[in-house]
Amino acid sequence: MEVAVDQQKEQRGKGRIGTLENPETYDNVPGDIIPIIEREFDDFDNEAEEFLAGKMAEDEFIGFRLKQGVYGQRQPDVQMVRVKLPFGGVTPKQMEAFADVVERWAPLNKGHITTRQNIQIHHVPLRDMEQLLRVISEADLSSREGCGNTVRNVTGDPWAGIAPDEIFDPTPYAGAYVRYFVRHPTTQLMPRKIKTAFTGSDEDRAITGIHDVAFISRERDGVKGFEIRVGGGTSIMARVAPTLYEFVEADNGDFLKVSEAVLRIFDRQDWLRVNRARARIKVLVDKIGIEAFRALVDEELEGDWAEERDFDVERLRFDDDEEANAPAVPQGAASPNGDHTEFERFCEGNVRAQRQAGFSSVEVKITRGDLTPEQFRGLAAIMRDFTGGYARSTVQQNLVLRWVRDEALYDVWERLGGLGLGEAGADEITDVVSCPGTDSCKMGITSSMGLNRAIKERLEEMGISDGLTRKIHVKMSGCPNGCSQHHIANIGFYGASLKVGGRQVPAYIPHIGGNYEGGEVVFGTRLKSRIPAKRVPEAVERWVRMYEAERSSESEEFNAFAERIGAERFEAEVKELTMPAEFSLETMQQFIDWNRSSPYKVERGEGECAI
């Protein structure tokens, strides 16, 4: 293997601001991070009509629409749009725009929050997609480079700017990174996608360790900067991102310069393009080691290109004084009468004090990340009335309402309850995370959304009250790729299949003991078990009850327990569940996946996330 240092490949910058090559203008308006360029919608309409008229090859059109954030589904003749919410930020106006387009064009009447803080809308016919993109753009929402071999949505800590443990708020710099790399010529057709995260705290609520490029706030002698990590990821070759540089300055633009050097090197590695499933920057870093990769970056930074670029952070950064727009103390506020138990449980599980006195954040627990038009609109109204208009989606598929006055917490809880969103236990064991699976994804093997529902119902039936048990995180993906981040769950699953005679059975392979909290990423141990899908909820219950009954002390947490007793003990606990039944009228349901009515069959296409 040879690392390409210089192939004389043209890797242009974006050009001077305001030119035809770089027509972007920036306004520090909440939610307005990615510049909207009208002519791109005309281009999309024209290309789509060419394709529909049979005048453009499908592979050529796929590459074009992916850059616009429009993704093919396993169902024919419909698409998914992935709308980017940089660092999860969203405004009331944008929430209402989502309500409008979901109501008009989404047959399942829902929008979906992803584990990368996007909003996805599924099953939209191509001609309707043309209109949908224009409608969301009027609310300053962009799907530009939501898919394809580009810099995908830039994620961040939803509590950035309000967290007590923050070194400094990385939000303005995350905004600068988004604006610098969107539409950047070098990042339009890389060997594969790039996932980026920013966090301001060593608690690392953005999970930087599983990202291609990641930034953690640091400060030296009063100078702001970032620790930069490169080469993390989950999927078939899970790796924790090592540190490239301990400290790179922020305000002078060095963090952008280093980032571009990293992406220029990645873009030149044509050997990575041979196998798209492995064409990630983590493969390069893993092959040559972080020291050799750092040497490549050091050398790249000496190139003439670095002098030709404009890394003016002052121009690019996103500044929005949220505190100045925060709500005033309410004139009157409701309070619970009689039994306070439910409200107190909600406050325990969903409410965090901000570092700004008198304010709290409220994490809204959103089942499977799905919101109806009514819920989008209801949340928009709550944001206007109680948050100054501020909220951010989370990597756990929830929504954090920011700047809620402490006096207004009960009012907010009541309003959320009226929307069916007042459930306690955000980020707890019943807050199960899953990818869409076979509901829409071409690469899906199993109905992970259906399993999500079944596990959540089983856990709720168990009536779990133990505090440590509630801290367990359960996640499942419909294939090995890990869009639900199942590798880092305490209990994680990915979709697989079993053969019984000539029939197929949907199944899952478990991981035990993963972690993403406290600034440490740990990939769970994959068990030597393959559990039929319909038996997975029973397996989860057995493991939870085993933990509660056999832990060494009242303070032993789940991962410590799992490490102590070992993978074989977990396998033994569910061994009988892994034995597939022979097909009969009594066992027929095991041969049908969750939320399905016909016999299971693996039907897996080529996912466009790999294109």
Side-chain angles (χ1 to χ4, degrees):
M1 181 207 74
E2 292 187 8
V3 176
V5 178
D6 184 5
Q7 294 179 325
Q8 303 300 314
K9 180 173 184 175
E10 184 183 23
Q11 291 178 298
R12 296 177 292 111
K14 295 174 75 170
R16 182 171 50 83
I17 189 74
T19 62
L20 185 62
E21 290 76 23
N22 186 10
E24 300 165 4
T25 57
Y26 310 115
D27 296 308
N28 287 329
V29 176
D32 186 1
I33 312 297
I34 300 173
I36 305 297
I37 298 177
E38 187 68 25
R39 63 178 169 82
E40 289 184 344
F41 300 116
D42 295 332
D43 290 343
F44 185 86
D45 294 352
N46 293 336
E47 298 289 312
E49 291 303 324
E50 287 277 302
F51 169 70
L52 290 169
K55 297 178 182 179
M56 178 184 290
E58 183 173 19
D59 57 350
E60 183 181 351
F61 179 64
I62 287 174
F64 171 82
R65 67 166 162 74
L66 285 174
K67 291 177 192 175
Q68 308 303 323
V70 179
Y71 187 96
Q73 296 188 188
R74 68 190 294 123
Q75 296 84 3
D77 303 322
V78 292
Q79 323 288 323
M80 174 267 283
V81 62
R82 180 178 291 141
V83 184
K84 297 169 84 171
L85 299 181
F87 45 84
V90 66
T91 68
K93 178 181 176 182
Q94 291 170 340
M95 294 291 279
E96 288 165 347
F98 283 125
D100 291 344
V101 297
V102 166
E103 201 164 57
R104 289 180 66 182
W105 292 303
L108 299 182
N109 204 44
K110 66 179 184 179
H112 177 71
I113 302 175
T114 76
T115 54
R116 291 198 48 75
Q117 296 176 291
N118 302 289
I119 300 286
Q120 291 183 175
I121 302 168
H122 294 87
H123 305 284
V124 182
L126 190 56
R127 280 201 172 93
D128 290 341
M129 189 68 75
E130 299 172 16
Q131 300 176 65
L132 186 154
L133 292 176
R134 290 185 184 274
V135 170
I136 63 170
S137 73
E138 293 171 3
D140 301 314
L141 288 165
S142 177
S143 60
R144 175 73 199 199
E145 292 157 51
C147 308
N149 299 327
T150 61
V151 175
R152 298 290 186 85
N153 190 41
V154 177
T155 59
D157 179 358
W159 289 272
I162 61 174
D165 62 347
E166 193 169 60
I167 299 168
F168 68 84
D169 182 2
T171 301
Y173 305 97
Y177 181 97
V178 172
R179 289 168 166 175
Y180 186 79
F181 285 109
V182 72
R183 303 185 181 91
H184 193 294
T186 298
T187 63
Q188 298 306 293
L189 197 59
M190 294 181 289
R192 192 82 186 280
K193 58 192 172 185
I194 290 290
K195 296 181 177 180
T196 309
F198 281 78
T199 190
S201 161
D202 284 330
E203 187 69 20
D204 195 8
R205 287 174 289 269
I207 323 180
T208 60
I210 61 170
H211 284 79
D212 299 286
V213 182
F215 302 85
I216 303 172
S217 292
R218 296 284 180 248
E219 196 169 292
R220 287 187 179 177
D221 301 321
V223 176
K224 292 178 180 177
F226 292 103
E227 175 186 338
I228 300 183
R229 296 176 174 177
V230 175
T234 56
S235 193
I236 58 174
M237 195 184 93
R239 294 291 184 275
V240 177
T243 297
L244 177 63
Y245 295 112
E246 295 285 352
F247 185 84
V248 174
E249 281 195 44
D251 288 314
N252 68 357
D254 277 358
F255 82 103
L256 293 175
K257 185 188 297 185
V258 169
S259 300
E260 183 166 357
V262 167
L263 298 184
R264 284 169 61 85
I265 292 166
F266 177 55
D267 181 52
R268 290 199 300 262
Q269 309 311 311
D270 284 341
W271 62 275
L272 284 172
R273 301 177 192 271
V274 176
N275 181 352
R276 287 183 305 211
R278 297 179 66 83
R280 298 295 294 272
I281 199 168
K282 66 183 178 182
V283 175
L284 171 59
V285 173
D286 189 67
K287 288 286 186 185
I288 68 174
I290 192 63
E291 291 80 10
F293 188 79
R294 187 181 302 114
L296 290 177
V297 176
D298 289 342
E299 181 181 353
E300 190 72 20
L301 289 168
E302 297 299 318
D304 292 340
W305 67 273
E307 299 301 320
E308 299 166 358
R309 301 289 195 267
D310 179 5
F311 300 111
D312 184 0
V313 173
E314 191 64 31
R315 173 177 62 84
L316 292 166
R317 59 183 283 152
F318 176 74
D319 289 297
D320 177 27
D321 188 351
E322 293 189 10
E323 188 167 8
N325 298 316
V329 176
Q331 294 296 312
S335 60
N337 293 317
D339 188 359
H340 300 187
T341 306
E342 284 190 53
F343 176 59
E344 289 172 354
R345 172 75 182 99
F346 179 81
C347 289
E348 175 195 1
N350 301 54
V351 176
R352 302 188 191 190
Q354 294 188 187
R355 71 164 182 257
Q356 297 85 2
F359 293 96
S360 290
S361 67
V362 176
E363 185 171 2
V364 183
K365 183 178 178 182
I366 299 174
T367 301
R368 289 178 291 282
D370 290 340
L371 290 170
T372 67
E374 294 76 20
Q375 290 171 327
F376 274 115
R377 291 194 183 98
L379 286 167
I382 291 172
M383 289 167 64
R384 282 199 177 92
D385 293 343
F386 296 104
T387 77
Y390 292 104
R392 297 191 186 186
S393 59
T394 82
V395 294
Q396 308 306 322
Q397 300 178 312
N398 291 329
L399 190 77
V400 173
L401 302 174
R402 298 156 64 92
W403 301 100
V404 177
R405 284 281 181 182
D406 292 342
E407 299 88 342
L409 286 170
Y410 186 76
D411 288 311
V412 169
W413 177 62
E414 281 202 314
R415 291 272 291 272
L416 289 171
L419 296 170
L421 296 172
E423 186 177 331
D427 293 336
E428 294 183 1
I429 191 168
T430 59
D431 195 4
V432 184
V433 172
S434 61
C435 68
T438 52
D439 281 11
S440 59
C441 181
K442 288 183 178 181
M443 298 190 75
I445 297 173
T446 53
S447 173
S448 46
M449 293 287 267
L451 179 61
N452 180 316
R453 183 190 301 273
I455 288 179
K456 184 176 188 294
E457 289 175 354
R458 177 65 71 99
L459 291 169
E460 288 172 342
E461 289 169 1
M462 290 170 65
I464 294 167
S465 59
D466 179 77
L468 290 183
T469 305
R470 282 179 175 170
K471 291 174 65 176
I472 294 172
H473 299 298
V474 183
K475 303 175 187 282
M476 67 280 308
S477 300
C479 78
N481 285 335
C483 292
S484 78
Q485 303 169 351
H486 67 265
H487 301 77
I488 56 176
N490 303 112
I491 301 175
F493 300 93
Y494 72 84
S497 63
L498 287 166
K499 279 196 173 180
V500 180
R503 302 177 187 274
Q504 295 178 322
V505 177
Y508 285 85
I509 295 175
H511 287 65
I512 296 292
N515 181 71
Y516 57 89
E517 295 179 314
E520 181 184 23
V521 171
V522 175
F523 298 122
T525 300
R526 185 173 65 183
L527 302 187
K528 297 175 183 177
S529 303
R530 192 171 292 232
I531 307 171
K534 290 295 179 68
R535 294 174 175 172
V536 172
E538 171 69 17
V540 172
E541 179 171 356
R542 289 190 183 194
W543 287 329
V544 168
R545 294 307 189 202
M546 179 179 75
Y547 162 65
E548 291 182 329
E550 299 180 14
R551 62 192 186 198
S552 61
S553 69
E554 288 301 309
S555 62
E556 185 177 38
E557 297 196 356
F558 183 84
N559 280 6
F561 169 77
E563 185 175 3
R564 178 172 61 82
I565 69 169
E568 290 183 358
R569 177 69 182 86
F570 278 87
E571 291 165 354
E573 188 67 18
V574 298
K575 184 174 182 180
E576 67 175 289
L577 300 180
T578 66
M579 306 302 291
E582 293 297 322
F583 182 81
S584 69
L585 287 175
E586 289 75 23
T587 63
M588 185 182 299
Q589 285 303 310
Q590 292 190 34
F591 294 79
I592 300 173
D593 208 350
W594 291 105
N595 286 6
R596 301 292 184 268
S597 57
S598 57
Y600 173 77
K601 181 181 179 183
V602 175
E603 294 178 337
R604 197 179 193 211
E606 182 176 32
E608 292 178 359
C609 61
I611 291 177

